[in-house]
Amino acid sequence: MLKIIDFYLNQLLDSKPSPHQKIILANLIAELKELKFPKEELVDILSISIIINYLLSDAQLIKMYTPLIKDAYQTISDILGDALYHKIEPKVIAVEDEFYRNICPDKRQFQNKLSEEIRELLILYSNEKYSLHSN
């Protein structure tokens, strides 16, 4: 399972941003959910993925914001790596800040999408916890 995560992450880091990467990113997140990756870190990855998905949805946005997309991928890599989380959090905030301040058409729309993702994550984690206790 960890090799699959590395495979997806390397595809994101090593290739030029394109709309196809939305699929790779979705696969990476699905694997992290399957592994029950720590919630706090996964929420940050979900937040970054919502931003990346928006940017990857338009060729002009990809061209204009390739450095931000690459920074976002590197931040995900840092979260998944061995770095201390308190040193990564400012990178997460920087990506979100850049997006919400300079790119985002409707901050509420993205916050609602993140809230929906968090709800689904909490349900997934609580169902797993319940099923572990019921055995």
Side-chain angles (χ1 to χ4, degrees):
M1 184 87 70
L2 294 177
K3 286 185 180 192
I4 294 171
I5 290 171
D6 283 342
F7 172 75
Y8 291 137
L9 190 57
N10 287 332
Q11 281 189 318
L12 295 173
L13 290 169
D14 296 340
S15 52
K16 186 177 176 185
S18 70
H20 173 70
Q21 289 181 335
K22 291 168 108 177
I23 297 166
I24 299 167
L25 187 58
N27 290 339
L28 173 65
I29 290 170
E31 293 294 332
L32 293 172
K33 287 178 179 178
E34 183 73 25
L35 276 175
K36 303 294 187 263
F37 197 75
K39 283 185 270 191
E40 181 180 348
E41 289 89 342
L42 189 52
V43 167
D44 282 338
I45 292 172
L46 290 170
S47 176
I48 292 170
S49 74
I50 291 167
I51 292 167
I52 293 170
N53 279 328
Y54 176 78
L55 296 174
L56 293 177
S57 67
D58 181 88
Q60 188 63 28
L61 290 174
I62 292 171
K63 188 182 291 185
M64 289 173 58
Y65 297 106
T66 292
L68 179 61
I69 295 168
K70 289 299 220 175
D71 285 348
Y73 288 151
Q74 185 57 54
T75 302
I76 291 172
S77 177
D78 291 345
I79 292 169
L80 295 174
D82 293 331
L84 297 175
Y85 196 70
H86 71 274
K87 292 186 177 188
I88 298 168
E89 188 65 20
K91 293 180 181 184
V92 173
I93 292 168
V95 169
E96 292 172 340
D97 226 29
E98 172 73 17
F99 179 73
Y100 287 124
R101 204 172 337 115
N102 300 318
I103 305 165
C104 180
D106 179 8
K107 186 175 181 176
R108 190 173 44 241
Q109 171 189 353
F110 291 93
Q111 289 174 333
N112 289 344
K113 177 68 176 158
L114 181 58
S115 294
E116 179 183 320
E117 291 282 347
I118 291 170
R119 265 192 305 279
E120 290 174 13
L121 184 64
L122 291 174
I123 291 168
L124 174 72
Y125 279 60
S126 66
N127 286 342
E128 180 66 25
K129 190 176 191 179
Y130 176 76
S131 67
L132 289 175
H133 290 298
S134 64
N135 288 337

